[in-house]
């Protein structure tokens, strides 16, 4: 995985990419399963003859994918904040991510959208939201066109948060003389970013009784950024 973050050397980078591949395959299997065995109106899992197969197919590990991606992408910021290493410009990082993601993503969205909207004007709002990665904020269209791309929207939003918070973490750590203090500050920041989504979900589910079908509440960045923070 080529990033400005500078992947871990040698076998560690390959192993992490391997785990990311397994997480991606699990997500594909999960959505194929959804396609052929749809959830009922109450949101319960559809019947599968073999309970072990059903459990395996329903185990979507997208959060593991978030954890591994965030580790690779934030490594340069962690090294810069803790060990004083140099940091590449944010624009270079964003350019590399755009080159890696946008061409295939835009092509896939246009092809699928055109096939589902054979006559113009079609659902132009859905198209615009997918091309701008904002469909994750739309209760009706979050899973339109290419349903699994809600997670890619979170990835893109994470990039924006990373280039905003990463340099701030580096500046905050510079006055600290002890390496342990810099590690503790970075860890505390990650802990806050991890706890905030947990608090959001707890309040939404237990405090306000928001149903699980309110997709934006439970699939938006305010609920799912804990995976990146981990």
């Amino acid at each position: 995985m080529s990033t400005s973050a500078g992947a871990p050397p040698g076998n560690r980078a390959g192993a992490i990419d391997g785990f990311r591949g397994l997480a991606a395959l699990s997500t594909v299997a999960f959505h194929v399963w959804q396609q052929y065995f749809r959830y009922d109106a109450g949101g319960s899992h559809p019947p599968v003859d073999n309970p072990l197969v059903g459990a395996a197919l329903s185990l979507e590990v997208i959060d593991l994918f978030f954890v591994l991606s965030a580790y690779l992408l934030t490594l340069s910021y962690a090294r810069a904040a803790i060990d004083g290493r140099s940091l590449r410009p944010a624009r270079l990082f964003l350019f590399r991510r755009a080159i890696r993601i946008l061409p295939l993503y835009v092509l896939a969205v246009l092809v699928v959208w055109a096939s589902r909207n054979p006559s113009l004007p079609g659902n132009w709002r859905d198209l615009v939201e997918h091309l701008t990665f904002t469909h994750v904020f739309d209760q009706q269209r979050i899973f339109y066109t290419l349903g699994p791309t809600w997670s890619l929207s979170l990835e893109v939003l994470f990039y924006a948060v990373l280039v905003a918070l990463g340099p701030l973490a580096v500046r905050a750590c510079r006055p600290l003389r002890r390496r342990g203090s810099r590690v503790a500050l970075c860890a505390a920041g990650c802990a806050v970013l991890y706890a905030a989504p947990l608090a959001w979900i707890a309040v939404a589910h237990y405090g306000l009784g928001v149903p699980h079908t309110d997709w934006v509440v439970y699939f938006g960045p305010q609920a799912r950024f804990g995976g990146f923070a981990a």
Side-chain angles (χ1 to χ4, degrees):
M1 179 176 182
S2 177
T3 72
S4 67
N11 293 334
R12 291 174 61 195
I16 291 172
D17 270 338
F19 279 117
R20 293 177 72 242
L22 291 175
L25 289 175
S26 172
T27 303
V28 171
F30 175 80
H31 286 286
V32 170
W33 178 62
Q34 274 190 321
Q35 179 68 27
Y36 290 99
F37 302 95
R38 297 187 182 278
Y39 292 102
D40 60 27
S44 62
H45 289 285
V48 176
D49 291 338
N50 189 317
L52 294 178
V53 174
L57 291 177
S58 65
L59 182 62
E60 184 186 16
V61 290
I62 191 65
D63 285 311
L64 175 60
F65 187 85
F66 291 160
V67 170
L68 297 175
S69 292
Y71 171 76
L72 291 170
L73 296 173
T74 59
L75 197 57
S76 68
Y77 288 105
R79 288 171 171 169
I82 295 171
D83 295 325
R85 299 192 185 186
S86 61
L87 192 64
R88 295 183 182 181
R91 62 180 179 273
L92 178 60
F93 166 76
L94 294 176
F95 175 76
R96 288 183 174 183
R97 302 315 301 165
I99 291 298
R100 189 179 182 91
I101 291 173
L102 289 180
L104 185 58
Y105 174 77
V106 171
L107 177 63
V109 168
L110 291 176
V111 169
V112 175
W113 184 88
S115 67
R116 295 183 175 181
N117 296 266
S119 59
L120 297 178
N123 192 339
W124 281 101
R125 182 174 175 179
D126 173 52
L127 178 62
V128 170
E129 288 182 355
H130 271 76
L131 292 178
T132 57
F133 299 100
T134 55
H135 56 290
V136 74
F137 300 109
D138 189 327
Q139 171 68 16
Q140 293 183 337
R141 297 174 179 83
I142 184 172
F143 301 131
Y144 272 29
T145 300
L146 290 174
T149 59
W150 67 269
S151 60
L152 185 58
S153 295
L154 295 186
E155 282 266 348
V156 172
L157 290 171
F158 172 72
Y159 301 156
V161 171
L162 180 60
V163 298
L165 295 184
L168 294 179
V170 174
R171 295 193 194 100
C173 287
R174 281 176 181 169
L176 303 177
R177 295 184 178 181
R178 294 180 62 251
R179 188 178 190 274
S181 299
R182 297 192 293 270
V183 171
L185 180 60
C186 291
C190 290
V192 170
L193 293 176
Y194 182 79
L198 288 181
W200 171 276
I201 293 173
V203 171
H205 182 71
Y206 297 105
L208 303 178
V210 178
H212 68 276
T213 51
D214 196 331
W215 311 122
V216 173
V217 171
Y218 295 109
F219 284 82
Q222 74 286 346
R224 302 304 293 263
F225 261 26
F228 295 107

